[in-house]
Amino acid sequence: DTGVSQDPRHKITKRGQNVTFRCDPISEHNRLYWYRQTLGQGPEFLTYFQNEAQLEKSRLLSDRFSAERPKGSFSTLEIQRTEQGDSAMYLCASTRGSEDTEAFFGQGTRLTVV
Amino acid sequence: GQQVMQIPQYQHVQEGEDFTTYCNSSTTLSNIQWYKQRPGGHPVFLIQLVKSGEVKKQKRLTFQFGEAKKNSSLHITATQTTDVGTYFCAGQGSGAGSYQLTFGKGTKLSVIP
């Protein structure tokens, strides 16, 4: 148990629908990351928060993707008008911050767009 | 942007044989991390290397960070079936305020008993 929890674990949605995922990081961790992973690939960076501030966002990230971390604790990732290419495992990770960059990953949310 | 290349993509070894995976970054890194992902699981942190030329050992695992801080390797001595999984390196850029990790594609290790 890494302490990072993600919900839901699995999501099947029809193309064109909106989906929202939630991540609860380890409580004392102030940095939170979202990654996407497809089969046979490494995790691909999507976005990063330091407390409630979104400090980095991948240039590859479509404007259909939005993430929030309103109170600096849990975070949500929303995908609007889903496409089949959005099917992937969405991973959340948190780190303590400062020089300690060891990332603790959650179990992920597996999205299937049909 | 920063790119991290990892080879080989797959490695099949007989139990007891050694295994090495290599990682190369297109840019100088502030640090490099290694993760292991078991089938159906999520990446789990193994180690972080920060200093140029650093070598760290964890039991049968040896991690190295190159002098130029652009390449790294993971070596496993006498593999066991419990070593099965995909090993990823992940580099953190050296630019100010850059906290994202760029992952390689991973090396999938299979161990034949």
Side-chain angles (χ1 to χ4, degrees):
Chain A
D1 183 9
T2 63
V4 177
S5 62
Q6 292 187 244
D7 183 71
R9 293 289 305 278
H10 304 273
K11 178 71 176 178
I12 300 174
T13 191
K14 289 185 178 179
R15 190 175 49 183
Q17 297 293 306
N18 300 343
V19 293
T20 300
F21 310 141
R22 177 181 171 121
C23 171
D24 286 87
I26 295 172
S27 58
E28 63 266 27
H29 286 188
N30 58 26
R31 291 182 186 164
L32 185 148
Y33 299 79
W34 285 99
Y35 288 87
R36 175 171 61 192
Q37 187 176 27
T38 53
L39 199 62
Q41 302 294 316
E44 175 192 19
F45 171 79
L46 295 179
T47 191
Y48 149 69
F49 290 86
Q50 170 112 4
N51 299 313
E52 67 276 7
Q54 188 174 18
L55 296 186
E56 280 189 73
K57 191 173 175 181
S58 170
R59 283 170 288 177
L60 302 174
L61 203 60
S62 157
D63 57 8
R64 296 184 296 106
F65 288 69
S66 61
E68 292 183 342
R69 194 182 183 198
K71 296 181 180 178
S73 56
F74 73 93
S75 175
T76 58
L77 176 68
E78 181 182 18
I79 309 174
Q80 295 182 325
R81 305 181 303 280
T82 51
E83 301 172 358
Q84 286 189 322
D86 297 331
S87 296
M89 176 72 83
Y90 289 83
L91 293 164
C92 175
S94 68
T95 72
R96 196 182 303 272
S98 185
E99 297 301 315
D100 185 350
T101 57
E102 173 187 348
F104 292 82
F105 281 84
Q107 299 276 14
T109 294
R110 181 168 294 285
L111 173 66
T112 303
V113 182
V114 297
Chain B
Q2 180 181 304
Q3 291 185 330
V4 174
M5 309 299 290
Q6 197 174 346
I7 57 169
Q9 192 172 356
Y10 302 95
Q11 187 80 56
H12 305 274
V13 300
Q14 203 77 33
E15 188 173 18
E17 291 182 338
D18 293 355
F19 159 77
T20 305
T21 173
Y22 300 90
C23 185
N24 278 288
S25 169
S26 58
T27 59
T28 301
L29 301 170
S30 66
N31 69 76
I32 195 158
Q33 301 177 22
W34 285 90
Y35 290 80
K36 178 182 179 181
Q37 186 172 25
R38 287 202 163 94
H42 57 276
V44 175
F45 176 84
L46 294 176
I47 208 159
Q48 175 177 285
L49 303 170
V50 179
K51 298 176 184 175
S52 169
E54 189 169 15
V55 178
K56 286 188 176 180
K57 292 190 176 185
Q58 288 180 351
K59 297 183 180 177
R60 295 177 294 105
L61 277 61
T62 302
F63 304 84
Q64 292 188 322
F65 200 10
E67 295 290 340
K69 299 185 73 173
K70 293 180 73 172
N71 61 287
S72 181
S73 65
L74 158 60
H75 179 82
I76 302 179
T77 304
T79 54
Q80 300 175 357
T81 55
T82 53
D83 295 326
V84 163
T86 301
Y87 292 84
F88 293 99
C89 61
Q92 184 172 359
S94 55
S98 177
Y99 297 109
Q100 69 169 274
L101 288 175
T102 302
F103 281 78
K105 290 190 175 183
T107 296
K108 187 173 182 179
L109 173 64
S110 300
V111 179
I112 305 162

